[in-house]
Amino acid sequence: MYNETFLRRAIEISAQALETSGTEPFGAVIVKDGQIVGEGINRSKMNHDPTSHGETEAIRDACRHLETVDLRGCELYSSCGPCALCVAAMNIAGITALYYAADMAQAGDAIADLPEAARFPVDVERLTHECGHAVAERFMPSEQHLDAEATKILKDWAGHARSQV
Ligand SMILES: [Zn+2]
C-alpha cells in the first residue's frame, strides 16, 4: 500500500547526487512490512558499473540485509520510473509493487539540454525494445553455438541439486 514517506525518502536519496560525485539523481528504497529494508542510488560512474541504478542498488542492499534473493512481498519506491534493466531485476527478485515519482518522459525532459558527454548513456527506447523482443527480433546481432556442451553442465547441475533436496 502506498506510503508517501517512502517515496519522499527515495527522492531524498536522489538528491544526494547533488553533493556526491560519481552518483546520479536516481534513488530507490525497498519496503517490507512497513519497514525500509534496502536503499540505493545510481553509482554507475563511482563503481564503474553500468548496472548500478538506484533500483538495482536498493535490491542488492535489501537482499544482503535480508540474506535472500527472494523479495516477494516487498515494494519498491523510486524517484523515477525504472528502466527495463531495473524492471527485469524487480521481476527476478519478485518485487510485489512499484511506486514512482518522475516518469521516463519527465526525466528525459529534465536532462534534455545536457551535453552528450554528461549524460548517462542509456538509450531507453532501444533498451525497452531489446528486452521486449525475442533474440531474432533484437537490434543486437547474436549467434548460438556449443549449446550441447553448455546444456550438459546444466543437466549435471540439476541432477546434483535434485540429490541435495
Ligand atoms: Zn534502471
Side-chain angles (χ1 to χ4, degrees):
M1 190 171 48
Y2 174 66
N3 182 328
E4 188 176 287
T5 304
F6 299 130
L7 192 55
R8 289 197 179 283
R9 177 59 188 152
I11 294 169
E12 183 180 88
I13 291 168
S14 77
Q16 293 172 4
L18 299 170
E19 293 157 8
T20 310
S21 71
T23 64
E24 291 171 9
F26 299 93
V29 299
I30 309 283
V31 174
K32 183 174 189 182
D33 300 328
Q35 301 276 337
I36 292 177
V37 293
E39 294 189 340
I41 187 169
N42 183 310
R43 292 189 183 87
S44 292
K45 288 179 180 161
M46 179 188 290
N47 292 350
H48 306 292
D49 177 0
T51 69
S52 172
H53 290 188
E55 299 92 332
T56 52
E57 289 295 317
I59 288 168
R60 288 170 180 140
D61 191 42
C63 286
R64 281 191 293 260
H65 182 235
L66 300 173
E67 297 184 338
T68 183
V69 293
D70 183 354
L71 296 183
R72 283 177 292 181
C74 294
E75 299 170 327
L76 189 146
Y77 287 75
S78 181
S79 66
C80 183
C83 73
L85 162 73
C86 295
V87 170
M90 290 166 63
N91 279 275
I92 290 167
I95 296 283
T96 305
L98 164 70
Y99 305 103
Y100 64 98
D103 64 26
M104 283 288 189
Q106 291 169 319
D109 287 349
I111 63 152
D113 60 351
L114 264 182
E116 198 65 35
R119 282 189 207 199
F120 33 90
V122 177
D123 181 337
V124 171
E125 284 182 26
R126 180 186 162 112
L127 178 59
T128 302
H129 170 93
E130 294 291 84
C131 294
H133 288 80
V135 172
E137 296 165 358
R138 292 179 197 149
F139 296 128
M140 182 184 292
S142 60
E143 299 177 9
Q144 183 182 26
H145 302 280
L146 300 175
D147 56 301
E149 288 181 33
T151 304
K152 181 183 181 310
I153 292 169
L154 291 167
K155 286 180 177 169
D156 290 349
W157 180 86
H160 179 73
R162 260 193 302 277
S163 73
Q164 301 289 304
V165 178

Coordinates of all heavy atoms in Angstrom, one line a residue, residues 5-86:
T5 N 5.7 8.6 2.7 CA 7.0 8.8 3.5 C 8.1 8.1 2.7 O 9.3 8.6 2.6 CB 6.9 8.1 4.9 OG1 5.8 8.8 5.5 CG2 8.2 8.3 5.7
F6 N 7.8 6.9 2.1 CA 8.9 6.1 1.5 C 9.2 6.7 0.1 O 10.4 6.7 -0.3 CB 8.4 4.6 1.3 CG 8.1 4.0 2.6 CD1 7.0 3.3 2.8 CD2 9.1 4.0 3.7 CE1 6.7 2.6 4.1 CE2 8.8 3.4 4.9 CZ 7.6 2.7 5.1
L7 N 8.2 7.3 -0.6 CA 8.6 7.9 -1.9 C 9.4 9.2 -1.6 O 10.3 9.5 -2.3 CB 7.3 8.2 -2.6 CG 7.5 8.6 -4.1 CD1 8.3 7.6 -4.9 CD2 6.2 8.9 -4.8
R8 N 9.1 9.9 -0.5 CA 9.9 11.1 -0.2 C 11.3 10.7 0.2 O 12.3 11.4 -0.1 CB 9.2 11.8 1.0 CG 8.0 12.6 0.6 CD 7.6 13.6 1.6 NE 6.4 14.3 1.1 CZ 6.3 15.2 0.2 NH1 7.4 15.6 -0.4 NH2 5.2 15.7 -0.2
R9 N 11.5 9.5 0.8 CA 12.8 9.0 1.1 C 13.6 8.7 -0.2 O 14.8 9.0 -0.3 CB 12.7 7.8 2.0 CG 14.1 7.1 2.3 CD 15.0 8.1 3.1 NE 16.4 7.5 3.2 CZ 17.5 8.2 3.3 NH1 17.5 9.5 3.2 NH2 18.7 7.6 3.4
A10 N 12.9 8.1 -1.2 CA 13.6 7.8 -2.4 C 14.0 9.1 -3.1 O 15.1 9.1 -3.7 CB 12.6 7.0 -3.3
I11 N 13.2 10.1 -3.1 CA 13.5 11.4 -3.7 C 14.7 12.0 -2.9 O 15.6 12.6 -3.5 CB 12.3 12.3 -3.7 CG1 11.3 11.7 -4.7 CG2 12.7 13.7 -4.2 CD1 9.9 12.4 -4.6
E12 N 14.6 11.9 -1.6 CA 15.7 12.5 -0.8 C 17.1 11.8 -1.1 O 18.1 12.5 -1.2 CB 15.3 12.2 0.7 CG 16.3 12.8 1.8 CD 15.8 12.4 3.2 OE1 16.1 11.3 3.7 OE2 15.0 13.2 3.7
I13 N 17.0 10.5 -1.3 CA 18.3 9.8 -1.7 C 18.7 10.3 -3.1 O 19.9 10.5 -3.3 CB 18.0 8.3 -1.8 CG1 17.8 7.7 -0.3 CG2 19.2 7.5 -2.4 CD1 17.2 6.3 -0.3
S14 N 17.8 10.5 -4.0 CA 18.2 11.0 -5.3 C 18.9 12.4 -5.2 O 19.9 12.6 -6.0 CB 17.0 11.1 -6.3 OG 16.2 12.2 -6.0
A15 N 18.5 13.2 -4.3 CA 19.1 14.5 -4.1 C 20.6 14.4 -3.6 O 21.3 15.4 -3.7 CB 18.3 15.3 -3.1
Q16 N 21.0 13.3 -3.1 CA 22.4 13.1 -2.6 C 23.3 13.3 -3.8 O 24.5 13.6 -3.6 CB 22.6 11.8 -1.9 CG 21.9 11.7 -0.6 CD 21.9 10.2 0.0 OE1 22.5 9.3 -0.6 NE2 21.2 10.1 1.1
A17 N 22.8 13.1 -5.0 CA 23.7 13.2 -6.2 C 24.1 14.6 -6.4 O 25.1 14.9 -7.1 CB 22.9 12.7 -7.5
L18 N 23.4 15.6 -5.8 CA 23.8 17.0 -5.9 C 25.1 17.2 -5.2 O 25.9 18.2 -5.5 CB 22.7 17.9 -5.4 CG 21.4 17.8 -6.1 CD1 20.3 18.6 -5.4 CD2 21.5 18.3 -7.5
E19 N 25.4 16.4 -4.2 CA 26.6 16.6 -3.3 C 27.7 15.5 -3.5 O 28.8 15.6 -3.0 CB 26.2 16.6 -1.9 CG 25.3 17.9 -1.6 CD 24.5 17.7 -0.3 OE1 24.6 16.6 0.4 OE2 23.6 18.6 -0.1
T20 N 27.3 14.4 -4.1 CA 28.2 13.2 -4.1 C 28.6 12.9 -5.6 O 27.8 12.5 -6.4 CB 27.6 12.0 -3.5 OG1 27.0 12.3 -2.3 CG2 28.6 10.8 -3.4
S21 N 29.9 13.2 -5.9 CA 30.2 13.0 -7.3 C 30.3 11.5 -7.6 O 30.6 10.7 -6.7 CB 31.6 13.7 -7.6 OG 32.6 13.0 -7.0
G22 N 30.0 11.1 -8.9 CA 30.0 9.7 -9.2 C 28.7 9.1 -9.1 O 28.5 7.9 -9.4
T23 N 27.7 9.9 -8.5 CA 26.3 9.4 -8.4 C 25.4 10.2 -9.4 O 25.8 11.3 -9.8 CB 25.8 9.5 -7.0 OG1 25.7 10.9 -6.6 CG2 26.7 8.7 -6.0
E24 N 24.3 9.6 -9.7 CA 23.3 10.3 -10.5 C 22.0 10.3 -9.7 O 21.7 9.5 -8.9 CB 23.2 9.6 -11.8 CG 24.4 9.8 -12.7 CD 24.5 9.0 -14.0 OE1 23.4 8.4 -14.3 OE2 25.5 9.0 -14.6
P25 N 21.1 11.3 -10.0 CA 19.9 11.6 -9.1 C 18.8 10.6 -9.4 O 17.7 11.0 -9.8 CB 19.5 13.0 -9.5 CG 20.0 13.1 -10.9 CD 21.2 12.3 -11.1
F26 N 19.0 9.3 -9.1 CA 18.0 8.3 -9.1 C 18.1 7.5 -7.8 O 19.1 6.8 -7.6 CB 18.2 7.4 -10.3 CG 18.2 8.1 -11.6 CD1 19.3 8.6 -12.2 CD2 17.0 8.4 -12.3 CE1 19.3 9.3 -13.4 CE2 16.9 9.1 -13.5 CZ 18.1 9.5 -14.0
G27 N 17.1 7.6 -7.0 CA 17.1 6.9 -5.7 C 16.0 6.0 -5.5 O 14.9 6.2 -6.1
A28 N 16.2 4.9 -4.7 CA 15.1 3.9 -4.5 C 15.2 3.3 -3.1 O 16.3 3.3 -2.6 CB 15.2 2.8 -5.6
V29 N 14.1 2.9 -2.6 CA 14.0 2.2 -1.4 C 13.1 0.9 -1.6 O 12.2 0.9 -2.4 CB 13.5 3.0 -0.2 CG1 14.4 4.2 0.1 CG2 12.1 3.4 -0.4
I30 N 13.5 -0.1 -0.8 CA 12.7 -1.3 -0.8 C 12.0 -1.4 0.6 O 12.7 -1.2 1.6 CB 13.5 -2.6 -0.9 CG1 14.5 -2.5 -2.1 CG2 12.7 -3.9 -0.9 CD1 13.8 -2.8 -3.4
V31 N 10.7 -1.7 0.6 CA 9.9 -1.7 1.8 C 9.3 -3.0 2.0 O 8.7 -3.6 1.1 CB 8.8 -0.6 1.8 CG1 7.9 -0.7 3.0 CG2 9.4 0.8 1.7
K32 N 9.5 -3.6 3.2 CA 8.8 -4.8 3.6 C 8.1 -4.7 4.9 O 8.7 -4.2 5.9 CB 9.8 -6.0 3.7 CG 9.2 -7.3 4.0 CD 10.2 -8.5 3.9 CE 9.4 -9.8 4.0 NZ 10.3 -10.9 4.1
D33 N 6.8 -5.0 5.0 CA 6.1 -4.9 6.2 C 6.2 -3.5 6.8 O 6.4 -3.4 8.0 CB 6.5 -6.0 7.2 CG 6.3 -7.4 6.6 OD1 5.4 -7.6 5.8 OD2 7.1 -8.3 7.0
G34 N 6.1 -2.5 6.0 CA 6.2 -1.1 6.5 C 7.5 -0.6 7.0 O 7.6 0.4 7.6
Q35 N 8.6 -1.4 6.7 CA 9.9 -1.0 7.1 C 10.8 -0.9 5.8 O 10.7 -1.8 5.0 CB 10.5 -2.0 8.0 CG 9.8 -2.3 9.3 CD 10.1 -1.3 10.4 OE1 11.1 -0.7 10.4 NE2 9.2 -1.1 11.3
I36 N 11.7 0.1 5.8 CA 12.7 0.1 4.7 C 13.8 -1.0 5.0 O 14.4 -1.0 6.1 CB 13.4 1.5 4.7 CG1 12.4 2.5 4.2 CG2 14.6 1.5 3.7 CD1 12.9 4.0 4.1
V37 N 14.0 -1.9 4.0 CA 14.9 -2.9 4.2 C 16.1 -2.8 3.2 O 17.1 -3.6 3.2 CB 14.3 -4.3 4.0 CG1 13.3 -4.6 5.2 CG2 13.6 -4.5 2.7
G38 N 16.0 -1.8 2.3 CA 17.1 -1.6 1.4 C 17.0 -0.2 0.7 O 15.9 0.3 0.5
E39 N 18.2 0.4 0.5 CA 18.2 1.7 -0.2 C 19.3 1.7 -1.3 O 20.3 1.0 -1.2 CB 18.5 2.8 0.8 CG 17.5 3.1 1.9 CD 17.7 4.3 2.8 OE1 18.9 4.8 2.8 OE2 16.8 4.7 3.4
G40 N 19.1 2.6 -2.3 CA 20.1 2.7 -3.3 C 20.0 4.0 -4.1 O 19.0 4.6 -4.2
I41 N 21.2 4.3 -4.6 CA 21.3 5.5 -5.5 C 22.2 5.0 -6.7 O 23.0 4.1 -6.5 CB 21.9 6.7 -4.8 CG1 21.9 8.0 -5.7 CG2 23.4 6.4 -4.3 CD1 22.3 9.2 -5.0
N42 N 22.0 5.7 -7.8 CA 22.8 5.3 -9.0 C 24.2 5.7 -8.8 O 24.6 6.8 -8.5 CB 22.2 6.1 -10.2 CG 23.0 5.8 -11.5 OD1 24.2 5.8 -11.5 ND2 22.2 5.5 -12.6
R43 N 25.1 4.6 -8.8 CA 26.5 4.8 -8.5 C 27.3 4.3 -9.8 O 28.4 3.8 -9.6 CB 27.0 4.1 -7.3 CG 26.5 4.6 -6.0 CD 27.2 3.9 -4.8 NE 26.7 4.3 -3.6 CZ 25.6 3.8 -2.9 NH1 25.0 2.8 -3.5 NH2 25.2 4.3 -1.8
S44 N 26.7 4.4 -10.9 CA 27.4 3.8 -12.1 C 28.8 4.3 -12.3 O 29.7 3.5 -12.5 CB 26.5 4.1 -13.4 OG 25.3 3.4 -13.3
K45 N 28.9 5.6 -12.3 CA 30.3 6.2 -12.5 C 31.2 5.9 -11.4 O 32.4 5.5 -11.6 CB 30.1 7.7 -12.8 CG 29.5 8.0 -14.1 CD 29.4 9.4 -14.4 CE 28.7 9.6 -15.8 NZ 28.1 10.9 -16.0
M46 N 30.8 6.0 -10.2 CA 31.6 5.8 -9.0 C 32.1 4.3 -9.0 O 33.3 4.1 -8.7 CB 30.8 6.0 -7.7 CG 31.5 5.8 -6.4 SD 30.4 5.9 -5.0 CE 30.1 7.7 -5.0
N47 N 31.2 3.4 -9.3 CA 31.5 2.0 -9.2 C 32.0 1.4 -10.5 O 32.3 0.2 -10.6 CB 30.3 1.2 -8.8 CG 29.9 1.5 -7.3 OD1 30.7 2.1 -6.6 ND2 28.8 1.0 -6.9
H48 N 32.1 2.2 -11.6 CA 32.4 1.7 -12.9 C 31.5 0.5 -13.2 O 31.9 -0.6 -13.6 CB 33.9 1.3 -13.1 CG 34.8 2.4 -12.7 ND1 34.9 3.6 -13.5 CD2 35.6 2.6 -11.7 CE1 35.7 4.4 -12.9 NE2 36.2 3.8 -11.8
D49 N 30.2 0.7 -13.0 CA 29.2 -0.4 -13.1 C 28.0 0.1 -13.8 O 27.1 0.8 -13.1 CB 28.9 -0.9 -11.7 CG 27.8 -2.0 -11.7 OD1 27.3 -2.4 -12.8 OD2 27.5 -2.5 -10.6
P50 N 27.8 -0.2 -15.1 CA 26.6 0.4 -15.8 C 25.3 -0.2 -15.3 O 24.2 0.3 -15.6 CB 26.8 0.0 -17.2 CG 27.8 -1.2 -17.1 CD 28.6 -1.0 -15.9
T51 N 25.3 -1.2 -14.4 CA 24.0 -1.7 -13.8 C 23.8 -1.2 -12.5 O 22.8 -1.6 -11.8 CB 24.1 -3.3 -13.8 OG1 25.0 -3.7 -12.8 CG2 24.4 -3.9 -15.1
S52 N 24.6 -0.2 -12.0 CA 24.4 0.4 -10.7 C 23.3 1.5 -10.7 O 23.7 2.7 -10.7 CB 25.7 0.9 -10.1 OG 25.5 1.6 -8.9
H53 N 22.1 1.1 -10.9 CA 21.0 2.1 -10.9 C 20.4 2.1 -9.5 O 20.7 1.3 -8.6 CB 19.9 1.6 -11.9 CG 20.3 1.8 -13.3 ND1 19.5 1.6 -14.4 CD2 21.5 2.1 -13.9 CE1 20.1 1.8 -15.5 NE2 21.4 2.1 -15.2
G54 N 19.6 3.2 -9.2 CA 19.1 3.3 -7.9 C 18.3 2.0 -7.5 O 18.4 1.5 -6.3
E55 N 17.5 1.5 -8.4 CA 16.7 0.4 -8.1 C 17.5 -0.9 -7.9 O 17.2 -1.7 -7.0 CB 15.6 0.1 -9.2 CG 14.7 1.3 -9.5 CD 15.2 2.3 -10.5 OE1 16.4 2.4 -10.7 OE2 14.4 2.9 -11.2
T56 N 18.5 -1.1 -8.8 CA 19.3 -2.4 -8.6 C 20.1 -2.3 -7.3 O 20.3 -3.3 -6.6 CB 20.2 -2.6 -9.8 OG1 21.0 -1.4 -10.1 CG2 19.4 -3.0 -11.1
E57 N 20.6 -1.1 -7.0 CA 21.4 -0.9 -5.7 C 20.5 -1.2 -4.5 O 20.9 -1.8 -3.5 CB 22.0 0.4 -5.7 CG 23.1 0.7 -6.6 CD 24.3 -0.2 -6.3 OE1 24.7 -0.4 -5.2 OE2 24.9 -0.8 -7.3
A58 N 19.2 -0.7 -4.6 CA 18.3 -1.0 -3.5 C 18.0 -2.4 -3.4 O 17.8 -3.0 -2.2 CB 17.0 -0.1 -3.7
I59 N 17.8 -3.1 -4.5 CA 17.5 -4.6 -4.5 C 18.7 -5.3 -3.9 O 18.5 -6.2 -3.0 CB 17.2 -5.1 -5.9 CG1 15.8 -4.6 -6.3 CG2 17.3 -6.6 -6.0 CD1 15.5 -4.7 -7.8
R60 N 19.9 -5.0 -4.3 CA 21.1 -5.6 -3.8 C 21.2 -5.4 -2.3 O 21.5 -6.3 -1.5 CB 22.4 -5.1 -4.4 CG 22.5 -5.6 -5.9 CD 23.7 -4.8 -6.6 NE 23.8 -5.3 -7.9 CZ 24.0 -4.5 -9.0 NH1 24.2 -3.2 -8.8 NH2 24.1 -5.0 -10.2
D61 N 20.9 -4.2 -1.8 CA 21.0 -3.8 -0.4 C 20.0 -4.6 0.4 O 20.3 -5.2 1.5 CB 20.8 -2.3 -0.3 CG 21.1 -1.8 1.1 OD1 22.1 -2.2 1.7 OD2 20.3 -0.9 1.6
A62 N 18.8 -4.7 -0.1 CA 17.7 -5.4 0.6 C 18.0 -6.9 0.7 O 17.8 -7.5 1.7 CB 16.4 -5.2 -0.1
C63 N 18.5 -7.5 -0.5 CA 18.8 -8.9 -0.5 C 20.0 -9.2 0.5 O 19.9 -10.2 1.2 CB 19.2 -9.3 -1.9 SG 17.8 -9.5 -3.0
R64 N 21.0 -8.4 0.6 CA 22.1 -8.6 1.5 C 21.5 -8.5 2.9 O 21.9 -9.3 3.8 CB 23.2 -7.6 1.3 CG 24.1 -7.9 0.1 CD 25.4 -7.1 0.1 NE 25.0 -5.7 -0.1 CZ 25.2 -5.1 -1.3 NH1 25.6 -5.8 -2.4 NH2 24.8 -3.9 -1.5
H65 N 20.7 -7.5 3.2 CA 20.2 -7.2 4.5 C 19.3 -8.4 5.0 O 19.4 -8.8 6.1 CB 19.4 -5.9 4.5 CG 18.9 -5.5 5.8 ND1 17.5 -5.2 6.0 CD2 19.4 -5.4 7.1 CE1 17.3 -4.9 7.3 NE2 18.5 -5.0 7.9
L66 N 18.5 -8.9 4.1 CA 17.5 -10.0 4.4 C 18.2 -11.3 4.2 O 17.5 -12.4 4.5 CB 16.2 -9.8 3.6 CG 15.5 -8.5 3.8 CD1 14.3 -8.5 2.8 CD2 14.9 -8.4 5.2
E67 N 19.4 -11.4 3.6 CA 20.1 -12.6 3.3 C 19.2 -13.6 2.5 O 19.0 -14.7 2.8 CB 20.6 -13.3 4.6 CG 21.6 -12.4 5.3 CD 22.2 -13.1 6.6 OE1 21.6 -14.0 7.1 OE2 23.3 -12.7 7.0
T68 N 18.7 -13.0 1.4 CA 17.8 -13.8 0.5 C 18.0 -13.2 -0.9 O 18.6 -12.2 -1.1 CB 16.4 -13.7 0.9 OG1 15.5 -14.5 0.1 CG2 15.9 -12.2 0.8
V69 N 17.5 -14.0 -1.9 CA 17.3 -13.4 -3.3 C 15.8 -13.3 -3.6 O 15.5 -13.0 -4.8 CB 18.0 -14.3 -4.4 CG1 19.5 -14.3 -4.2 CG2 17.5 -15.8 -4.3
D70 N 15.0 -13.5 -2.6 CA 13.6 -13.6 -2.8 C 12.9 -12.4 -2.1 O 12.8 -12.3 -0.9 CB 13.0 -14.9 -2.2 CG 11.5 -15.1 -2.4 OD1 10.9 -14.1 -2.9 OD2 11.0 -16.1 -2.1
L71 N 12.5 -11.4 -2.9 CA 11.9 -10.2 -2.4 C 10.4 -10.1 -2.6 O 9.8 -9.1 -2.6 CB 12.6 -8.9 -3.0 CG 14.1 -8.7 -2.6 CD1 14.6 -7.4 -3.2 CD2 14.3 -8.8 -1.2
R72 N 9.8 -11.3 -2.7 CA 8.3 -11.3 -2.8 C 7.8 -10.7 -1.5 O 8.3 -11.0 -0.4 CB 7.8 -12.8 -3.0 CG 8.0 -13.2 -4.4 CD 7.6 -14.7 -4.6 NE 8.5 -15.6 -3.9 CZ 8.4 -16.9 -3.9 NH1 7.4 -17.5 -4.5 NH2 9.3 -17.6 -3.2
G73 N 6.7 -9.9 -1.7 CA 6.2 -9.2 -0.5 C 6.8 -7.9 -0.3 O 6.3 -7.1 0.6
C74 N 7.8 -7.5 -1.0 CA 8.5 -6.2 -0.9 C 8.0 -5.3 -2.0 O 7.6 -5.7 -3.1 CB 10.0 -6.3 -1.0 SG 10.8 -7.3 0.3
E75 N 7.9 -4.0 -1.6 CA 7.5 -2.9 -2.6 C 8.8 -2.1 -2.8 O 9.6 -1.9 -2.0 CB 6.4 -2.0 -1.9 CG 5.2 -2.8 -1.6 CD 4.2 -2.0 -0.8 OE1 4.7 -1.1 0.0 OE2 3.0 -2.2 -0.9
L76 N 8.8 -1.5 -4.1 CA 9.9 -0.7 -4.5 C 9.4 0.8 -4.7 O 8.4 0.9 -5.4 CB 10.6 -1.2 -5.7 CG 11.9 -0.5 -6.1 CD1 12.9 -1.5 -6.7 CD2 11.7 0.7 -7.1
Y77 N 10.0 1.7 -4.0 CA 9.7 3.1 -4.3 C 10.9 3.8 -5.0 O 12.0 3.6 -4.5 CB 9.5 3.8 -2.9 CG 8.2 3.5 -2.2 CD1 8.0 2.3 -1.6 CD2 7.2 4.5 -2.2 CE1 6.8 2.0 -0.9 CE2 6.0 4.2 -1.5 CZ 5.8 3.0 -0.9 OH 4.6 2.7 -0.2
S78 N 10.6 4.5 -6.1 CA 11.7 5.0 -6.9 C 11.5 6.5 -7.2 O 10.3 6.9 -7.5 CB 11.9 4.2 -8.1 OG 13.0 4.7 -8.9
S79 N 12.5 7.3 -7.2 CA 12.4 8.7 -7.6 C 12.0 8.9 -9.0 O 11.6 9.9 -9.4 CB 13.7 9.5 -7.2 OG 14.7 9.0 -8.1
C80 N 12.2 7.8 -9.8 CA 12.0 7.9 -11.3 C 11.5 6.5 -11.7 O 11.9 5.5 -11.2 CB 13.3 8.2 -12.0 SG 13.1 8.4 -13.8
G81 N 10.6 6.5 -12.7 CA 10.2 5.2 -13.3 C 11.3 4.4 -13.7 O 12.3 4.9 -14.3
P82 N 11.3 3.1 -13.4 CA 12.5 2.2 -13.7 C 12.7 1.9 -15.2 O 11.7 1.8 -15.9 CB 12.2 0.9 -12.9 CG 10.7 0.9 -12.8 CD 10.3 2.3 -12.7
C83 N 14.0 1.8 -15.6 CA 14.3 1.4 -16.9 C 14.1 -0.2 -17.1 O 13.8 -0.8 -16.1 CB 15.7 1.7 -17.3 SG 16.9 0.7 -16.4
A84 N 14.2 -0.7 -18.3 CA 14.0 -2.1 -18.5 C 14.9 -3.0 -17.7 O 14.5 -4.1 -17.2 CB 14.1 -2.4 -20.0
L85 N 16.2 -2.6 -17.5 CA 17.1 -3.3 -16.6 C 16.5 -3.5 -15.2 O 16.5 -4.6 -14.7 CB 18.4 -2.6 -16.5 CG 19.3 -3.0 -15.4 CD1 19.9 -4.4 -15.6 CD2 20.4 -2.0 -15.1
C86 N 16.0 -2.4 -14.7 CA 15.5 -2.4 -13.3 C 14.2 -3.2 -13.2 O 13.9 -3.9 -12.2 CB 15.4 -1.0 -12.8 SG 17.1 -0.3 -12.6

